[in-house]
Structures are given as structure tokens and as C-alpha cells.
Amino acid sequence: MNAAWTQGGSMSANGDGAGGAVLQSWLTMAQGAPAGGSGQPGSAGGLFMLAILAAFMVFMLLSARSQKKREERERESLLGSLAKNDRVLTVGGIIGTIVSIKESEVVLKVDESTNTKMTFAKSAVQRIINDEAR
């Protein structure tokens, strides 16, 4: 079975493109036959490929989980280290200076000339801005 891409972007089973040979070898491995076409129908080629795929999926799930936990720890550390007079950037893009901090809220002074203050959920703080970055 050779397969090739047709002009419309779908697979055709009767073309002879280079992709057809790759598809054919993948199909024979999935069916458990060796790529040469001869041999026993229950060979371990397909099982080996399945084991490699399963190991890769387990690795990806574990690394994604550890990445998520690390980001949560960094986020909690950031929110715990907020202090009065810190310049912060909110998730909405507003930059202000912390005037007061409550358990779940922060009050930011966003305009020095008019003394405009806004109240945000503490979780809306994206990062602390260094004074050197100005």
C-alpha cells in the first residue's frame, strides 16, 4: 500500500510519493510485521514501538507536573513577598505602587499627581518591577 498526498491535501492510497513508503513502514510495524515484509506476523516490533511511546508519554506527564508545581511555588513566593511601596505590574498591564496589603487584596497608587488608588485581588499581581528597569 503506497500513499501520497493529493493536491487537495488528503491522502491517496494509490500514489507513490516518498511519504507512502514511510506510512507503509509505520503500518507494518504497527501490525507487528517486520519492515521487510517477511517473518512471523507476531513479531515484537510493534510492541517495542508501543513501549517506547508509553515511556515517552510517562516522561512528558512527569516533567509537565514538576514544571507546574515549580511555577505554583514561585507564584506563592511572589505573592507572599509583596510589601508596601513595591512597584508591581498587574495581569491587566497596570503599573502601580502598593499602598496597603490585605489578605486577598492589594491597593495600588497608579497616579502620583492625582493620588489615584485602585484595589486589586492579590492574585492579579503579575510581577514586582525593579526600579532599575525604569
Side-chain angles (χ1 to χ4, degrees):
M1 171 184 152
N2 282 336
W5 291 100
T6 62
Q7 194 171 16
S10 61
M11 285 295 284
S12 165
N14 57 5
D16 22 310
V22 173
L23 181 61
Q24 183 179 6
S25 69
W26 277 84
L27 286 173
T28 56
M29 281 195 300
Q31 292 172 352
S38 64
Q40 298 176 353
S43 76
L47 290 177
F48 178 72
M49 188 66 110
L50 213 58
I52 295 292
L53 182 64
F56 180 72
M57 292 299 292
V58 168
F59 173 74
M60 292 301 293
L61 289 173
L62 290 176
S63 74
R65 184 173 179 220
S66 66
Q67 175 73 18
K68 184 178 178 182
K69 281 189 174 190
R70 181 176 50 228
E71 288 174 357
E72 286 176 0
R73 273 186 265 129
E74 289 174 359
R75 178 84 177 140
E76 287 180 21
S77 171
L78 168 79
L79 295 180
S81 69
L82 292 177
K84 190 174 179 180
N85 296 324
D86 281 346
R87 284 184 50 85
V88 296
L89 173 69
T90 66
V91 292
I94 297 173
I95 298 174
T97 304
I98 295 177
V99 175
S100 69
I101 301 174
K102 298 178 185 173
E103 186 174 326
S104 62
E105 296 179 343
V106 292
V107 178
L108 302 181
K109 184 191 294 186
V110 294
D111 187 16
E112 296 291 329
S113 63
T114 61
N115 202 23
T116 303
K117 296 176 186 172
M118 298 176 75
T119 303
F120 290 92
K122 204 173 190 181
S123 61
V125 175
Q126 185 174 14
R127 65 184 175 103
I128 298 174
I129 300 174
N130 296 334
D131 287 332
E132 302 163 1
R134 278 198 239 176

